[in-house]
Amino acid sequence: MAKAVKKKKNKGFFTFIKWFWILFATGGFAFALLFLLASWGFLGEMPTFEHLENPQTNLASQIISSDRELLGKFYLNDNRTPVEYDALPQNLVDALVATEDNRFFDHSGIDARGTVRAVVFLGTRGGASTITQQLARQLFVGVRTNSIFETIKQKAKEWVISTRLERNYTKEEIIKMYLNQYDFHYSADGIRSAARIYFGKEPIDLKVEESAMLVGMLKNSSYYNPIRREKLVFNRRNTVLAQMAKYDYITEKEKDSLQALKMDINFSPENHREGLATYFRMNLQKFMNRWIENNPMPVSDDGRDKYNLYLDGLKIYTTIDSRMQANAEEAVKEHMTKLQAEFFRQNTPEKNRTAPFVDLEKKEIDAIMERAMRSSERWRIMKKEGKSEEEIRNSFKHKTEMTVFDWNSDTQEKDTVMTPLDSIRYYKTFLRTAMMSMEPQTGHVKAWVGGLNYKHFQYDHVIQGARQAGSTFKPFVYAAAIDQLRLSPCDSLPDMKYCIEANKHGNPEPWCPDNSDGKYSGESYTLKHALANSVNTVTAQLIDKVGPKSVAAIIKNMGITKDILEVPSMALGTQDMNVYEMVGAYGTFVNQGVYVKPVMVTRIEDKNGQVLFEYVPETKDVLSEDVAYAMVNLMQGVTRGGSGVRLRTQGAEKYRAEYDRIITGYPYGFQNPIAGKTGTTQNQSDGWFMGMVPNLVTGVWVGGDNRSIHFKSITYGQGASMALPIWGLYMKKNYANEELEVSDQEFPEPEELSIVVDCDKFREEMQQDTDADYDIDDLDF
């Protein structure tokens, strides 16, 4: 009986062993079959060898400054800029391996021990996905589904792709690809964007605790969101630091010290409306769209024959210097904040019942508001939606919550409630500005500020806006006179009432301009004095002698593309000009008479570094070296004793109250050679300053959105008050940084200067020539 029982037990044991091995063999066979089916593509399309070698990843195009800083990017959904492995800090790699895959450098894409552990403990002691598998899922497999069958298929594909990735790439390349691919939320696609957006730095500069935070986000960046769930992310970061200590990447002491640190997040979201050089970047976008349209690419794998600015990872090397751009934006902010406060002070309801408009009737204001309403984004969108005009108009009368611009806020924004119509009038109360700075010898644009704040004021006054040039146009008249009549800056003309008869130069009526103060001294002024003090009567005599056509020809050769009405009044700047073309034109004077067209882009490369475009300077000889130098000498008089003299003075106690309110940064105390010209238009609607040193020409304009928005007094509304302080602040900041190498030297003088610019010497020569009864009016033209 006992033998029978023992025999039965042995039989049961062998049956168990047999079925165990059968099930084990079946499972192994099923696993191998699943693996093979996945590799053969029966479980879904697998990437080809070519796709493994070149994974399709959308890359943002980079905008790179002349000093090799990243100004911004062009992207749609993927704000991704890849970095090389050498640009990753070791602490980031250590944190990644310690937390996500501690045997990464030992396996070949699949961690067998991790897989067995995950199966036995059902994932409660950690998952089994290696870094390589996670990369495979990101590149080729996609997000996990809720279907068990689909999940098994996806996992099988991950295993196959992982082993293939391991054969094609080194471990370092896999880490690089993984970190470049991951979406860290808030348009932080890839490790470089994440480092810049969360910490305002490049990846190589990340500290251990910062790297730990970013690695902690890899678990689920949407859930482990440091902006919305700081405490949760803090704990997750400390878990990563604990893992680093566990695997001896840091000591226990270092771990304790780092875990005690707060998360020092410098959140700087990257988008097209914020950051440095926003107006420049938006104009660059238009340039790139034109370039792409005219420069087809070799047909790509997806059949495209045109580059995609937002997906192809182009590298756009610009002329902008990030340091000078920052200086320009700071100068604009500092002065415009102060100037705007004064404008508000002078336009309270008690002082101006039609504020911000000056001397307008209600029907005129209504017409301005009507045009603004019809050209607004709200009107355009509602019209596109098929709304009736009555519905659209009514929408402008209902109060709504909105965020508006505000100089007094650190963020330059404030939340408020007002009607859309009131918001239009609110925005019109803000004075606008534009500024551009260029290297005259190369045409390289170094700084570009198109307005106050691109998010709220998207009209670019550097190139889109055109306003009356005022007295900044006068140098072109003087240049024509010196060029054609061979005059010297020391030649004189009388300051007296001067009229050009009707129809002489296309003027239907007699033209008799007044000086800005309505007075005439009757004295003879040198051209240098007349230009420095914007004496209109002298300018009128010069344009009468050379004619408007010759002036128009000169400015056309200097890059002014706008059609100019060729009449005498052009001499006083009645025509509209933009800052972009004015800076290019003034560059001709400094560059010894050679016009160089302003340029924004020096080179374009594809994502692999192949050069697609290199700029060729566009130049034109306009003036002789002598004439150009004489003009520079003339305009140096503006800052030595004319309307720009406050750049050099230290006193002005008599006007201290006004200066403290609006002449931001005064005293400037410049001692170096500066040539320039101020400009003020009728009713102080526009204020200009064009300033030049030997290797930098800068133009500044300030004015209201409409010509009827202006200061009532010339004290505040002249170019020397509205625009010149921005130039002064900007140049002080530039000179404070010696690395910028902005010149403080003399303007280069031609070797054989034929035009006398030293007025003392000029007078001596005139006295010595006793036989010559010389007067400019006696010259034979």
Side-chain angles (χ1 to χ4, degrees):
M1 184 73 179
K3 288 184 178 180
V5 170
K6 186 176 181 180
K7 186 174 182 181
K8 188 174 182 179
K9 284 184 178 180
N10 288 338
K11 184 177 181 181
F13 174 75
F14 285 118
T15 300
F16 170 78
I17 293 296
K18 181 178 71 172
W19 279 108
F20 171 81
W21 284 110
I22 289 174
L23 291 172
F24 181 83
T26 302
F29 176 77
F31 180 83
L33 181 62
L34 181 68
F35 201 86
L36 287 171
L37 289 173
S39 66
W40 292 334
F42 287 103
L43 300 183
E45 185 179 0
M46 295 290 286
T48 63
F49 175 79
E50 289 75 16
H51 283 155
L52 285 173
E53 287 289 310
N54 299 284
Q56 296 298 312
T57 302
N58 295 334
L59 302 179
S61 291
Q62 301 175 67
I63 307 167
I64 303 168
S65 69
S66 62
D67 54 321
R68 294 301 182 264
E69 293 293 326
L70 184 66
L71 291 176
K73 304 174 189 177
F74 293 123
Y75 64 92
L76 290 178
N77 298 315
D78 295 339
N79 178 22
R80 180 177 290 104
T81 304
V83 295
E84 294 301 318
Y85 183 82
D86 292 342
L88 300 175
Q90 188 59 46
N91 61 54
L92 178 66
V93 176
D94 293 344
L96 174 65
V97 172
T99 307
E100 295 294 322
D101 189 356
N102 66 291
R103 284 183 290 276
F104 173 72
F105 289 101
D106 299 324
H107 62 65
S108 297
I110 301 173
D111 183 2
R113 287 169 58 186
T115 301
V116 171
R117 182 194 63 222
V119 171
V120 172
F121 296 99
L122 301 177
T124 59
R125 296 190 181 181
S129 287
T130 64
I131 292 174
T132 314
Q133 286 176 258
Q134 293 178 49
L135 174 61
R137 182 164 66 248
Q138 289 182 39
L139 289 176
F140 303 110
V141 179
V143 182
R144 283 273 188 269
T145 67
N146 293 324
S147 167
I148 295 178
F149 179 70
E150 288 296 323
T151 298
I152 293 173
K153 285 172 55 178
Q154 287 180 328
K155 199 66 179 177
K157 290 172 67 175
E158 272 181 30
W159 288 335
V160 174
I161 295 171
S162 296
T163 58
R164 292 180 179 179
L165 286 172
E166 290 275 351
R167 288 199 298 266
N168 283 277
Y169 296 100
T170 65
K171 291 289 187 178
E172 289 77 13
E173 287 172 330
I174 288 172
I175 286 178
K176 175 195 74 173
M177 291 169 66
Y178 176 64
L179 290 174
N180 280 330
Q181 184 66 25
Y182 193 81
D183 178 359
F184 288 88
H185 212 49
Y186 293 111
S187 295
D189 299 300
I191 190 63
R192 188 180 189 193
S193 292
R196 288 173 59 86
I197 288 174
Y198 290 112
F199 297 108
K201 58 180 66 175
E202 293 296 319
I204 195 66
D205 299 320
L206 289 171
K207 300 176 183 177
V208 176
E209 66 273 19
E210 294 169 340
S211 292
M213 190 203 87
L214 294 176
V215 167
M217 292 177 68
L218 295 173
K219 188 170 185 179
N220 184 334
S221 62
S222 182
Y223 183 68
Y224 291 98
N225 181 334
I227 307 305
R228 297 181 60 189
R229 300 186 179 94
E230 186 173 350
K231 180 63 176 177
L232 182 71
V233 177
F234 176 83
N235 292 335
R236 176 64 183 161
R237 181 205 69 175
N238 286 352
T239 298
V240 174
L241 292 170
Q243 287 293 106
M244 293 180 73
K246 177 181 178 181
Y247 293 106
D248 298 326
Y249 291 112
I250 57 176
T251 65
E252 285 293 326
K253 185 178 180 180
E254 287 174 323
K255 181 204 74 173
D256 294 338
S257 176
L258 291 170
Q259 286 183 336
L261 294 175
K262 294 182 179 180
M263 292 197 303
D264 187 16
I265 297 174
N266 178 17
F267 187 55
S268 306
E270 293 182 348
N271 60 59
H272 304 309
R273 295 189 174 191
E274 296 177 309
L276 197 65
T278 46
Y279 289 94
F280 173 81
R281 285 189 274 137
M282 290 302 99
N283 192 63
L284 177 64
Q285 185 180 45
K286 296 174 184 176
F287 170 89
M288 288 302 301
N289 288 337
R290 291 193 299 269
W291 181 85
I292 287 170
E293 189 64 31
N294 296 323
N295 293 271
M297 66 181 286
V299 179
S300 62
D301 293 340
D302 57 6
R304 287 190 295 118
D305 63 352
K306 289 185 183 299
Y307 293 101
N308 190 311
L309 181 61
Y310 310 101
L311 305 177
D312 287 343
L314 301 177
K315 295 178 182 177
I316 308 161
Y317 293 90
T318 71
T319 58
I320 292 290
D321 186 295
S322 67
R323 300 159 297 182
M324 295 173 78
Q325 179 68 32
N327 290 345
E329 294 185 14
E330 288 171 9
V332 165
K333 180 182 178 182
E334 288 173 24
H335 178 60
M336 293 305 294
T337 303
K338 208 168 187 177
L339 190 68
Q340 188 66 49
E342 179 61 24
F343 188 75
F344 283 150
R345 191 181 71 84
Q346 296 185 22
N347 283 275
T348 60
E350 295 77 19
K351 295 178 180 179
N352 180 11
R353 63 180 180 80
T354 60
F357 309 101
V358 178
D359 298 329
L360 289 188
E361 298 296 328
K362 183 179 184 304
K363 63 179 182 179
E364 295 174 300
I365 296 174
D366 289 343
I368 291 173
M369 297 297 291
E370 174 72 13
R371 288 194 299 271
M373 186 168 59
R374 285 181 169 273
S375 61
S376 69
E377 186 72 359
R378 171 182 287 268
W379 187 288
R380 186 189 67 79
I381 292 173
M382 294 186 72
K383 191 74 173 175
K384 189 176 181 180
E385 292 174 349
K387 304 292 184 182
S388 68
E389 185 166 317
E390 183 180 0
E391 289 177 301
I392 298 174
R393 286 184 181 279
N394 286 334
S395 76
F396 279 85
K397 300 174 183 177
H398 294 296
K399 288 189 175 184
T400 182
E401 293 181 357
M402 61 179 70
T403 301
V404 297
F405 179 77
D406 180 22
W407 273 126
N408 296 321
S409 168
D410 291 338
T411 61
Q412 295 186 6
E413 289 184 332
K414 69 177 181 181
D415 294 327
T416 187
V417 176
M418 65 173 73
T419 70
L421 193 61
D422 286 340
S423 74
I424 291 176
R425 189 156 186 155
Y426 172 79
Y427 274 103
K428 285 191 176 294
T429 63
F430 288 94
L431 297 173
R432 312 301 168 86
T433 188
M435 174 185 182
M436 189 179 107
S437 197
M438 182 192 81
E439 189 177 77
Q441 292 77 18
T442 61
H444 288 191
V445 175
K446 293 299 179 182
W448 178 306
V449 184
L452 306 177
N453 178 302
Y454 185 80
K455 185 175 180 181
H456 293 277
F457 303 91
Q458 294 177 25
Y459 190 78
D460 188 342
H461 287 278
V462 167
I463 197 165
Q464 289 178 297
R467 296 292 285 263
Q468 287 186 344
S471 293
T472 56
F473 189 87
K474 289 177 180 175
F476 304 130
V477 179
Y478 279 69
I482 292 175
D483 183 43
Q484 294 184 26
L485 309 179
R486 304 308 295 173
L487 299 181
S488 161
C490 306
D491 279 312
S492 300
L493 285 170
D495 174 24
M496 63 183 194
K497 188 80 172 180
Y498 188 87
C499 290
I500 298 177
E501 62 267 28
N503 300 314
K504 182 176 182 181
H505 296 299
N507 49 308
E509 297 178 354
W511 185 63
C512 310
D514 295 326
N515 286 329
S516 60
D517 59 3
K519 300 175 182 179
Y520 311 95
S521 69
E523 299 178 13
S524 286
Y525 290 146
T526 64
L527 299 189
K528 184 177 292 187
H529 176 90
L531 183 64
N533 293 279
S534 286
V535 182
N536 292 342
T537 57
V538 172
T539 308
Q541 294 172 65
L542 291 177
I543 199 166
D544 187 23
K545 295 178 186 301
V546 298
K549 289 186 181 296
S550 62
V551 178
I554 279 183
I555 63 172
K556 184 176 181 181
N557 287 331
M558 287 181 169
I560 304 297
T561 59
K562 190 175 180 64
D563 290 333
I564 302 294
L565 187 61
E566 297 173 359
V567 293
S569 61
M570 71 186 292
L572 303 186
T574 55
Q575 56 288 318
D576 290 345
M577 315 281 274
N578 66 38
V579 173
Y580 175 85
E581 291 187 349
M582 285 290 282
V583 171
Y586 267 67
T588 307
F589 298 131
V590 185
N591 194 34
Q592 301 177 314
V594 179
Y595 167 74
V596 182
K597 184 177 180 179
V599 63
M600 301 183 300
V601 177
T602 57
R603 189 170 79 256
I604 301 172
E605 296 177 357
D606 67 12
K607 64 182 180 182
N608 298 314
Q610 180 179 346
V611 177
L612 306 175
F613 164 83
E614 282 189 294
Y615 96 106
V616 177
E618 296 182 41
T619 65
K620 192 168 191 175
D621 292 338
V622 182
L623 303 170
S624 68
E625 289 186 23
D626 287 7
V627 173
Y629 183 76
M631 285 305 305
V632 169
N633 183 269
L634 270 173
M635 286 186 279
Q636 282 183 274
V638 173
T639 65
R640 287 173 177 162
S643 56
V645 71
R646 62 183 54 167
L647 288 171
R648 302 189 182 282
T649 58
Q650 301 284 340
E653 290 302 325
K654 179 180 177 182
Y655 308 104
R656 176 59 63 186
E658 289 86 351
Y659 273 35
D660 284 345
R661 282 204 295 266
I662 60 169
I663 312 301
T664 317
Y666 182 86
Y668 307 104
F670 293 117
Q671 301 297 320
N672 57 292
I674 299 171
K677 187 71 191 82
T678 58
T680 309
T681 62
Q682 190 173 16
N683 297 325
Q684 300 81 241
S685 293
D686 305 279
W688 291 78
F689 183 71
M690 305 296 298
M692 299 173 285
V693 296
N695 64 348
L696 198 65
V697 177
T698 304
V700 183
W701 166 86
V702 175
D705 187 45
N706 298 87
R707 296 187 194 279
S708 57
I709 301 172
H710 56 78
F711 283 103
K712 293 181 180 180
S713 163
I714 191 80
T715 301
Y716 299 97
Q718 62 180 299
S721 298
M722 291 210 295
L724 179 145
I726 292 177
W727 190 91
L729 289 166
Y730 170 64
M731 292 302 290
K732 282 179 73 173
K733 294 174 188 292
N734 286 342
Y735 282 127
N737 186 346
E738 294 182 359
E739 292 182 359
L740 296 178
E741 298 183 343
V742 177
S743 175
D744 60 359
Q745 302 301 304
E746 295 285 346
F747 290 91
E749 181 178 326
E751 293 183 4
E752 298 181 4
L753 181 62
S754 63
I755 299 174
V756 179
V757 295
D758 184 335
C759 291
D760 291 334
K761 181 180 179 182
F762 181 83
R763 281 190 290 271
E764 289 177 7
E765 292 180 357
M766 291 299 98
Q767 290 173 359
Q768 291 172 2
D769 191 359
T770 55
D771 296 330
D773 184 14
Y774 175 79
D775 191 279
I776 189 173
D777 289 316
D778 295 331
L779 293 176
D780 182 12
F781 299 126

